[in-house]
Amino acid sequence: MDLQKQPPPAPAVSELRASDADRDRIADILRDALAEGRLTAEEHAERVEEVYRAKTVGQLEPLVKDLPGAHQRRDAPAYAAAPGRPPAGAIPADADDSVVAVFSSAARRGRWRAGRRIHAYAVFGSVEIDLSEALFEHQQVMIKAISVFGDIQVRVPENVSLRGTGGGVLGNFEVDALDSPEPEAPVVYIDGWAVLGNVEGRPKRGKVVADILDRVQRKVDKGLRRHLDR
């Protein structure tokens, strides 16, 4: 009697390799939990780090099992429309801060005040503009980035909006579009050119603008007080 070979059993869902979409879904739940005050900034950073280290779906699920967002079905992401690009002249042409590297390197990072307009020039050099811990004094920030045989890297918190307009001449101009779920979030615009060079703008995972959450909480508290006074 011929015996048919049985196909191997399908792996359990928890054993499947995690995709980028799986990781982004978990990161979104963690971001919402941070905004709602269910996680501290430290807990959020630790869990996000684990998200991007996870290799299987089973390693991702425990990171959100204690959060209600993991058990709710969301029909569509609740993203707010970012403010439109400022009209010409709305932001002064003079830079609040300039970062220049000519045959050298220059950086702005850490706890610094980001003005409305920042100019970055890299000529046979490298420039880093890290806004992940910056104090945003204005909702709209314009960054003019010109790279000639150089490299300009812009990093932003993951809960701001990011836009880019520019191009490359035998070079690379690449800005990851980013939409914040918070209507109060800053919007960073990167305009520029890369001539035989490189200009990049990306979010920095696990980094958020904390004062956005403060502003949101103040709005919630104000609405709650108004409701209780009725």
Side-chain angles (χ1 to χ4, degrees):
M1 181 174 65
D2 294 333
L3 297 176
Q4 294 182 343
K5 290 186 176 180
Q6 296 295 324
V13 173
S14 61
E15 298 173 352
L16 294 176
R17 300 283 292 192
S19 67
D20 288 341
D22 293 327
R23 295 186 182 90
D24 289 343
R25 178 178 63 85
I26 299 299
D28 287 343
I29 293 173
L30 293 174
R31 180 170 53 195
D32 290 345
L34 176 64
E36 294 167 358
R38 300 180 190 275
L39 293 177
T40 65
E42 292 77 11
E43 290 171 331
H44 175 263
E46 290 173 1
R47 295 197 190 194
V48 167
E49 187 176 351
E50 292 296 325
V51 165
Y52 291 97
R53 269 194 283 190
K55 294 183 178 180
T56 67
V57 174
Q59 292 173 324
L60 288 173
E61 297 301 335
L63 298 173
V64 294
K65 68 180 181 179
D66 58 343
L67 301 174
H71 310 287
Q72 298 173 356
R73 180 177 176 179
R74 300 180 66 177
D75 297 329
Y79 288 113
R85 177 177 286 270
I91 295 180
D94 293 336
D96 297 303
D97 197 359
S98 294
V99 190
V100 181
V102 180
F103 289 97
S104 62
S105 62
R108 291 289 185 277
R109 63 170 74 98
R111 200 68 171 161
W112 61 290
R113 295 183 180 277
R116 288 180 294 180
R117 183 180 292 276
I118 302 168
H119 288 177
Y121 301 97
V123 181
F124 290 96
S126 64
V127 167
E128 179 189 1
I129 298 178
D130 189 343
L131 295 164
S132 62
E133 297 180 15
L135 295 171
F136 286 88
E137 298 183 325
H138 307 277
Q139 187 176 20
Q140 295 177 315
V141 176
M142 305 288 295
I143 298 179
K144 179 181 178 181
I146 303 296
S147 173
V148 180
F149 288 96
D151 178 64
I152 298 177
Q153 300 282 335
V154 180
R155 295 293 180 263
V156 302
E158 63 175 359
N159 63 339
V160 308
S161 294
L162 179 63
R163 300 286 187 271
T165 301
V169 179
L170 297 178
N172 176 63
F173 180 93
E174 184 177 356
V175 176
D176 291 349
L178 184 65
D179 289 301
S180 173
E182 304 293 346
E184 300 287 336
V187 186
V188 178
Y189 301 94
I190 302 175
D191 296 341
W193 286 90
V195 181
L196 291 166
N198 181 64
V199 175
E200 291 185 6
R202 304 186 189 283
K204 195 166 184 178
R205 294 294 183 184
K207 294 293 186 179
V208 297
V209 181
D211 64 343
I212 294 177
L213 304 180
D214 295 338
R215 278 179 272 176
V216 171
Q217 186 61 49
R218 285 196 295 270
K219 279 190 173 183
V220 172
D221 293 342
K222 184 177 180 181
L224 181 60
R225 286 196 300 269
R226 187 183 300 119
H227 177 75
L228 294 176
D229 292 339
R230 290 178 180 176

